[in-house]
Amino acid sequence: MRRPFIAGNWKMNTNVTEAIELIKDMKEGLNLLSTVDRVLCPPFVSLYCAGELVRGTDIELGAQNMYFKEKGAYTGEISPIMLKGLCKYVILGHSERRQRFLETDVMINEKMKAALAAGLLPILCMGESLEENEAGKTNEKLSHQVQGGLKDIAANKAIVIAYEPIWAIGTGKAATGTQAAATIKYIRETVGKMWGSEVADSVRILYGGSVTAANIAEFIKELQIDGALVGGASLKAREFIDIVKQSAAIKQGK
Ligand code: 13P
């Protein structure tokens, strides 16, 4: 049984004061839902105070990106060793970074290796564009992203993968549960070809893209889908708690 996993990617939203407010608003509600891994990914500048606020709970934190070098003359970058101690997870390869900041599979693979070497657990994001989807190239794209992202990395059950079709991110047009489950099954098989099916069957694979409290059930009820990477809806305390609550109930068969 894979433990359900719901992460909130706050993206470039909230200043420190707002982040503190948001965590205060969700902390108690989230803390009760301990059958699900709950991960908050605020901006870097709020990670430290977020850590102070969730101390004593099993709510975990993640960063949204990092550079692959440990330290040095890389103005403006954040390194794995800086994140170590501040958070457990780091989102890598988000499509917004691939598209806007031209991150390639090669760079993302460097980041994956650096994160693991520092003891951080990557949440590796991948997904196809609308054009690729319409041209029937979804699996081909994902197969490249899995192979590129995991290249030369030893089998590891603890990493997390997030399937986020680009056309579903921030558009209000989520995939259907059936579509997402079929693609996630394909991702799992591709991981299995690299790492063996036993490890692939243990890796958590999430769906992301316009997940809300109104549609989470459709994804979570699919056996292939272990949780969600939530963007916009993770900035609303009540809705995010509701997403985690529904996920806990459905995965427990209630
Ligand atoms: P939305 O939930 O806002 O569509 O964002 C999804 C996402 O990109 C999470 O990483």
Side-chain angles (χ1 to χ4, degrees), residues 161-163 184 187-188 203-207 224-227:
I161 293 176
Y163 167 56
I184 285 176
I187 293 173
R188 198 177 295 290
V203 167
R204 268 109 35 108
I205 309 186
L206 320 176
Y207 167 76
Q224 279 291 338
I225 306 183
D226 302 311

Side-chain angles (χ1 to χ4, degrees), residues 7-237:
N9 175 9
W10 294 9
K11 307 192 180 184
M12 199 176 72
N13 295 294
T14 68
N15 61 24
V16 173
T17 313
E18 291 162 342
I20 291 171
E21 279 308 304
L22 188 51
I23 294 176
K24 282 186 178 163
D25 286 348
M26 45 174 81
K27 178 176 157 176
E28 259 177 58
L30 287 181
N31 198 27
L32 297 170
L33 300 164
S34 58
T35 59
V36 175
D37 280 351
R38 297 136 291 159
V39 182
L40 305 178
C41 306
F44 288 127
V45 292
S46 295
L47 273 175
Y48 179 80
C49 59
E52 297 294 305
L53 287 169
V54 300
R55 194 193 299 270
T57 73
D58 61 354
I59 299 166
E60 304 281 3
L61 299 177
Q64 298 174 18
N65 178 37
M66 54 159 235
Y67 196 51
F68 50 81
K69 297 283 187 182
E70 273 198 2
K71 60 178 169 181
Y74 304 99
T75 302
E77 291 299 312
I78 302 284
S79 88
I81 54 172
M82 292 174 189
L83 293 178
K84 182 70 188 161
L86 282 182
C87 57
K88 179 171 176 180
Y89 295 93
V90 57
I91 296 173
L92 295 177
H94 193 283
S95 64
E96 286 151 16
R97 298 216 54 90
R98 293 180 192 255
Q99 291 189 310
R100 288 186 178 270
F101 303 99
L102 308 180
E103 290 194 8
T104 62
D105 283 324
V106 172
M107 286 163 72
I108 294 159
N109 179 246
E110 291 288 333
K111 293 184 176 197
M112 291 285 295
K113 289 177 185 161
L116 290 165
L120 296 164
L121 291 175
I123 302 173
L124 171 63
C125 300
M126 56 186 67
E128 83 286 2
S129 66
L130 184 61
E131 299 74 59
E132 288 160 340
N133 184 285
E134 287 175 346
K137 298 206 157 142
T138 299
N139 287 0
E140 189 184 320
K141 175 67 177 286
L142 290 163
S143 151
H144 273 118
Q145 290 182 323
V146 171
Q147 285 167 24
L150 302 184
K151 189 167 185 281
D152 300 328
I153 293 176
N156 190 326
K157 293 179 179 173
I159 71 145
V160 177
I161 293 176
Y163 167 56
E164 302 203 303
I166 296 169
W167 46 269
I169 296 179
T171 58
K173 289 190 193 132
T176 66
T178 327
Q179 270 173 342
T183 307
I184 285 176
K185 182 166 182 282
Y186 178 79
I187 293 173
R188 198 177 295 290
E189 285 163 4
T190 310
V191 173
K193 283 186 195 149
M194 299 180 78
W195 284 357
S197 60
E198 198 217 319
V199 174
D201 284 343
S202 302
V203 167
R204 268 109 35 108
I205 309 186
L206 320 176
Y207 167 76
S210 298
V211 170
T212 63
N215 65 17
I216 183 68
E218 177 177 349
F219 299 104
I220 278 296
K221 70 173 202 242
E222 297 287 341
L223 287 179
Q224 279 291 338
I225 306 183
D226 302 311
L229 183 53
V230 184
S234 72
L235 294 165
K236 299 175 198 152

